[in-house]
Amino acid sequence: MSRRLLMCAGFAIGVSVAAPAAAGPLDHPGYPKAFSCSACHGFAGNSRSDAMPILAGQHAGYLKKALQDYAGGKRPSAEMEPYAKMAIELGVDDVASYFASQTRMPTASAIDRAAAERGKAASAVCAACHGPTGKGDAAKDMPDITGQPVGFLKNQLLLFKADKRSPGDAALMQPKAIIKGLPDDTLADLAAYYASQR
Amino acid sequence: MGVTRRTFIRTFTTGLALGATGALTGCAASMRGDFMPKAGKRVVVIGGGWGGATAAKYVRLGDPSIDVVMLEPNKQFISCPFSNLVLSGLRSLDSLTMGYDGLRKQGVKIVHAEAGAIEPDTKRVRVGEGYLQYDRLIVSPGIEFQWEQVEGLPAAKDRVLHAWKAGPQTVELAKQIQSMADGGVFVLTVPPIAYRCPPGPYERICQVAWYLKQNKPKSKVIVLDANQNIVSKTALFRAAWQAYPNIEYRPSSKIVKVDVGTREVATEIGDKVKYDVLNLIPPQRAGSIAVQSDLVGVDKRWCEVDHVTYESAKAKDVHVIGDSTIGLPVPKSGNIANAMGKISASAVVALLNGRPAPQMPPGNTCYSWVSDREAIAVVNSYRIASGKVVQIEQKLTPAQAVSVAQNAVGWAQSIWADVLS
């Protein structure tokens, strides 16, 4: 019996309503290695909380670098270090490509439009690396920060300012110097601006 | 014009939906015989908590051709994580109460009834006077209390609060704490391991001590811990308790008797302690259905499972997840139950489609609030080696912090959605 006939037979007795042929949301080879992440980062990496970053649609190279930095303690985080080590054991390329291949749903957290406007006006210093709207640069492992939660972005900027994110990383000395020169209010405005970008 | 495949499917979907609605809204009287006849592949899930609800959703995500029926007596999901904040007045129970509509949107059929018995030989779950047929069963019944372990408790179990299953007891305990006189004694008893949520009692101690310090400065918290020391996040809780001189912690003080008349509890070593408000967290075992259906091991308490598929060591095609399990080096936490829900769902989908189950080690993130604004966390990651789950690493936050509490809120929002929508 052909597959189609089998399916029709199934329908006739009321079995199945969906064709099994198309790849489903769990069929990516990275899913069994990345499934733990959704507890904090949301299904398919689309975090719906203000504190947790969206991983969906992030550049794979950047995700890999971030996981390696967490695992090695270069980017200190008690929460991320054990998971990063697990991701590396399981296959960091599969994990990174799983999230990179997901469609980003921009943050659902509230964005202050006036703050976003002020942030846009202050964003020229960020554009050199992150691009004019924050899409980043896959070739340089520069993250896509568009549509990320405001709280997450603001928190990261404050960690950079206090040199608590990747402390001592030579590659980050220049951006940290820029951020240190900005008042906290401006950092909040920048967070609102990039959160509002699509 | 012939019926196109799409309209045929749509018509059929409507028909199925109506049929399902008819079955689901039926009262117990309609649960006779095979009350929801199985046509194609079917997974039945017992329990709509952190494990069961996640498993039901992820089976549907993994293969939408599989019919998923979830049995859960409660109409709403109430989160145990964060419920200690209800005791300190920082959260309402309403803010921890969520519906099951998200699961229905994923196509999960929910029957608000209790599973009566599991019959692995005929692949049936007894419900009311009828039964449901399954191809694979996922059992996530949580914990039940061993009332008989404490003298006087079986007769007084409606008056002695555990508040260890978030719900009306949580609200009642909060009221008792609020109405206790300044100078009153709050006694909390910690059961011997293994029990649900290892750091939970110690977070509760922080929350009650914080509340009393603010509102009833002459009151104190006496902790009678059956264990030799704080079970989880030990040093971090010890540090947090520095802020609460109103805590009197007594390790190795297993409770053996309660007298609600004299308002007194007695420990194994003969200490007697008077209380004004008592929170007795009894010893625990797997949920009743697991015990009644003989899924528990020789200890008659917990269920042994395969570390890759979560199939029961006792019954074929029956998978057990969540707090009811034992033998894995993981805590009985909501995060682990959520992970086991996803892992068992992938295993069940693969096995029903003739494929081997993927190897998916769990991970655990666990936050505890130590004041109104600061939290601590422990994180565990695991690998599967020779078919067994083993820990890769455990990491604790270096100190209590507001930033950790912010992450706790983010975790809760994300994982509630992962379980329910």
Side-chain angles (χ1 to χ4, degrees):
Chain A
M1 198 186 273
S2 74
R3 185 171 186 170
R4 180 168 292 181
L5 273 172
L6 263 174
M7 275 179 56
C8 287
F11 285 130
I13 53 167
V15 179
S16 167
V17 292
L26 312 187
D27 290 339
H28 191 285
Y31 169 76
K33 302 174 182 185
F35 78 99
S36 284
C37 311
S38 61
C40 287
H41 292 282
F43 184 70
N46 271 309
S47 162
R48 298 295 87 191
S49 87
D50 196 44
M52 304 295 180
I54 294 168
L55 309 180
Q58 188 55 275
H59 306 306
Y62 173 74
L63 287 168
K64 184 176 176 178
K65 180 188 183 300
L67 284 166
Q68 287 168 335
D69 286 354
Y70 278 128
K74 190 173 167 187
R75 184 172 170 182
S77 165
E79 284 109 315
M80 275 308 299
E81 190 177 322
Y83 282 107
K85 284 177 178 159
M86 180 161 76
I88 286 167
E89 265 200 40
L90 292 169
V92 69
D93 289 316
D94 284 339
V95 172
S97 99
Y98 169 72
F99 288 116
S101 70
Q102 305 298 319
T103 304
R104 178 169 298 192
M105 288 164 55
T107 179
S109 57
I111 297 164
D112 178 340
R113 290 289 151 195
E117 281 303 315
R118 291 193 300 272
K120 184 180 182 181
S123 69
V125 287
C126 313
C129 292
H130 285 283
T133 62
K135 286 283 180 196
D137 185 342
K140 294 178 184 164
D141 291 342
M142 201 58 65
D144 180 348
I145 53 176
T146 61
Q148 289 286 5
V150 183
F152 163 73
L153 288 173
K154 187 179 160 192
N155 199 22
Q156 293 307 305
L157 286 165
L158 291 171
L159 288 174
F160 276 124
K161 190 172 184 175
D163 199 20
K164 286 183 179 170
R165 179 167 159 173
S166 303
D169 185 339
L172 291 171
M173 279 174 63
Q174 190 196 1
K176 280 177 184 169
I178 294 169
I179 292 165
K180 272 178 194 161
L182 298 172
D184 288 359
D185 287 349
T186 303
L187 299 182
D189 292 342
L190 285 167
Y193 170 62
Y194 287 110
S196 74
Q197 291 305 291
R198 300 293 178 259
Chain B
M1 197 175 87
V3 179
T4 65
R5 185 165 170 271
R6 184 169 291 178
T7 53
F8 181 66
I9 290 172
R10 194 182 300 136
T11 310
F12 220 95
T13 309
T14 313
L16 272 181
L18 285 172
T21 308
L24 300 191
T25 52
C27 58
S30 69
M31 290 179 189
R32 291 176 190 279
D34 189 358
F35 63 90
M36 286 172 78
K38 181 176 88 69
K41 288 176 283 191
R42 177 187 277 167
V43 172
V44 173
V45 179
I46 296 178
W50 290 72
T54 305
K57 168 183 164 177
Y58 275 82
V59 170
R60 292 286 304 164
L61 286 172
D63 182 350
S65 79
I66 297 174
D67 186 35
V68 177
V69 183
M70 189 179 91
L71 289 163
E72 169 53 54
N74 296 310
K75 297 269 168 73
Q76 288 182 303
F77 172 100
I78 306 176
S79 174
C80 267
F82 277 55
S83 69
N84 281 331
L85 301 183
V86 176
L87 302 179
S88 46
L90 300 171
R91 275 266 189 176
S92 69
L93 196 71
D94 277 354
S95 75
L96 308 177
T97 305
M98 289 150 258
Y100 286 114
D101 282 348
L103 293 188
R104 290 188 186 92
K105 281 182 193 152
Q106 299 284 0
V108 176
K109 295 170 185 166
I110 303 171
V111 177
H112 290 298
E114 200 148 4
I118 299 164
E119 297 173 353
D121 293 343
T122 53
K123 294 193 174 187
R124 286 176 181 176
V125 178
R126 290 268 158 203
V127 189
E129 293 176 25
Y131 64 86
L132 282 169
Q133 201 82 46
Y134 64 80
D135 293 293
R136 287 207 174 247
L137 178 66
I138 299 176
V139 188
S140 187
I143 51 109
E144 192 44 81
F145 299 111
Q146 296 180 300
W147 310 103
E148 71 286 356
Q149 299 277 316
V150 180
E151 188 186 335
L153 187 57
K157 66 182 181 187
D158 296 333
R159 281 173 290 168
V160 176
L161 300 176
H162 54 77
W164 213 240
K165 295 180 179 184
Q169 284 215 1
T170 315
V171 176
E172 178 55 28
L173 185 59
K175 276 187 200 160
Q176 289 190 10
I177 294 166
Q178 283 156 21
S179 37
M180 186 172 78
D182 189 8
V185 175
F186 173 84
V187 171
L188 182 143
T189 75
V190 186
I193 52 166
Y195 61 86
R196 161 178 284 176
C197 189
Y202 310 103
E203 179 191 59
R204 179 169 291 186
I205 292 158
C206 292
Q207 287 304 306
V208 176
W210 175 84
Y211 170 82
L212 293 177
K213 188 180 169 186
Q214 310 295 315
N215 299 288
K216 302 176 198 291
K218 291 182 210 152
S219 288
K220 67 175 174 180
V221 178
I222 298 179
V223 183
L224 302 174
D225 194 336
N227 304 288
Q228 291 177 348
N229 199 354
I230 296 169
V231 165
S232 171
K233 304 173 188 162
T234 311
L236 288 168
F237 277 119
R238 288 269 182 206
W241 289 357
Q242 295 296 313
Y244 307 117
N246 53 356
I247 297 173
E248 182 183 325
Y249 178 69
R250 301 189 193 172
S252 303
S253 296
K254 186 181 173 188
I255 188 146
V256 291
K257 188 178 176 185
V258 59
D259 186 332
V260 291
T262 58
R263 303 180 81 80
E264 194 173 73
V265 289
T267 68
E268 204 170 35
I269 49 171
D271 286 345
K272 290 182 177 173
V273 181
K274 291 262 187 196
Y275 63 81
D276 291 291
V277 173
L278 173 63
N279 179 200
L280 194 161
I281 306 169
Q284 293 158 31
R285 59 168 170 77
S288 294
I289 185 81
V291 178
Q292 286 158 13
S293 302
D294 196 31
L295 297 176
V296 289
V298 286
D299 65 355
K300 298 290 175 199
R301 284 179 77 191
W302 309 110
C303 307
E304 281 183 41
V305 293
D306 182 277
H307 289 204
V308 175
T309 63
Y310 293 82
E311 189 164 0
S312 164
K314 305 275 303 273
K316 194 173 176 300
D317 301 323
V318 176
H319 303 250
V320 186
I321 59 171
D323 292 347
S324 279
T325 59
I326 197 151
L328 295 90
V330 299
K332 297 188 185 303
S333 74
N335 201 133
I336 282 292
N338 165 261
M340 289 180 177
K342 287 181 262 187
I343 301 163
S344 63
S346 285
V348 160
V349 166
L351 295 168
L352 285 176
N353 285 291
R355 302 191 304 264
Q359 303 232 337
M360 297 165 65
N364 180 57
T365 310
C366 169
Y367 293 97
S368 300
W369 290 77
V370 297
S371 70
D372 58 329
R373 44 199 292 278
E374 291 181 310
I376 55 180
V378 62
V379 180
N380 311 74
S381 62
Y382 304 90
R383 67 170 67 95
I384 295 175
S386 306
K388 295 288 178 192
V389 170
V390 290
Q391 185 167 283
I392 295 175
E393 184 178 44
Q394 171 170 286
K395 193 101 185 164
L396 291 145
T397 48
Q400 62 194 61
V402 171
S403 61
V404 180
Q406 288 166 348
N407 287 346
V409 173
W411 168 85
Q413 289 171 339
S414 292
I415 201 163
W416 288 333
D418 202 35
V419 174
L420 292 167
S421 62

